[in-house]
Amino acid sequence: QLQLVESGGGLVQPGGSLRLSCAASGSTLDNYFIGWFRKAPGKEREGVSCISKSGRSTEYANSVTGRFTISRDMAKNTVYLQMNSLNFEDSGIYYCAGGPWAGTSLQDYEYDYWGQGTQVTVSS
């Protein structure tokens, strides 16, 4: 079974940057499309970004387009989420998830495997 572990979260000031990592074990990430989701208190879980099995296709939520970048490193079996120009609304627990289907999706029901999450807090 695919196992995913997120890392890289922490406390950052507005306008700052963080790089999240999603490391896979049990299988190789190129068998899955990978998504990043976030959950803030009092809000629904939101799809942030995703990347296809090949890495050729990506998708971003409108709220993060131009600020976040998702990428794959096949050699390291890891997916990254580079987050720039962070603001208070970006705070939350960020989850990495994998789905076995082709293409990309920001819908959480398309994903079968989930990590435990990493906390991102944007605060001055």
Side-chain angles (χ1 to χ4, degrees), residues 36-58:
W36 284 98
F37 297 80
R38 65 188 180 190
K39 178 69 172 67
K43 296 183 178 180
E44 297 291 325
R45 185 165 59 188
E46 175 189 21
V48 176
S49 183
C50 60
I51 188 167
S52 65
K53 294 178 179 181
S54 68
R56 297 188 183 99
S57 298
T58 58

Side-chain angles (χ1 to χ4, degrees), residues 4 8 13 33 51 55 71 86 105 115-117 119:
L4 303 171
Q13 294 185 357
F33 60 86
I51 188 167
S71 62
L86 289 164
S105 177
Q116 296 300 304
Q119 178 71 49

Side-chain angles (χ1 to χ4, degrees), residues 97-113:
W101 317 115
T104 60
S105 177
L106 293 180
Q107 303 297 319
D108 57 6
Y109 56 78
E110 297 283 358
Y111 293 83
D112 297 326
Y113 307 99

Side-chain angles (χ1 to χ4, degrees), residues 50-112:
C50 60
I51 188 167
S52 65
K53 294 178 179 181
S54 68
R56 297 188 183 99
S57 298
T58 58
E59 188 174 352
Y60 298 92
N62 289 336
S63 60
V64 307
T65 297
R67 299 188 297 119
F68 290 13
T69 303
I70 190 170
S71 62
R72 285 182 179 266
D73 188 330
M74 301 301 187
K76 296 181 179 179
N77 208 26
T78 300
V79 171
Y80 301 97
L81 183 67
Q82 178 67 46
M83 307 187 296
N84 298 326
S85 302
L86 289 164
N87 55 57
F88 296 119
E89 289 73 29
D90 294 317
S91 295
I93 302 175
Y94 281 70
Y95 299 90
C96 176
W101 317 115
T104 60
S105 177
L106 293 180
Q107 303 297 319
D108 57 6
Y109 56 78
E110 297 283 358
Y111 293 83
D112 297 326

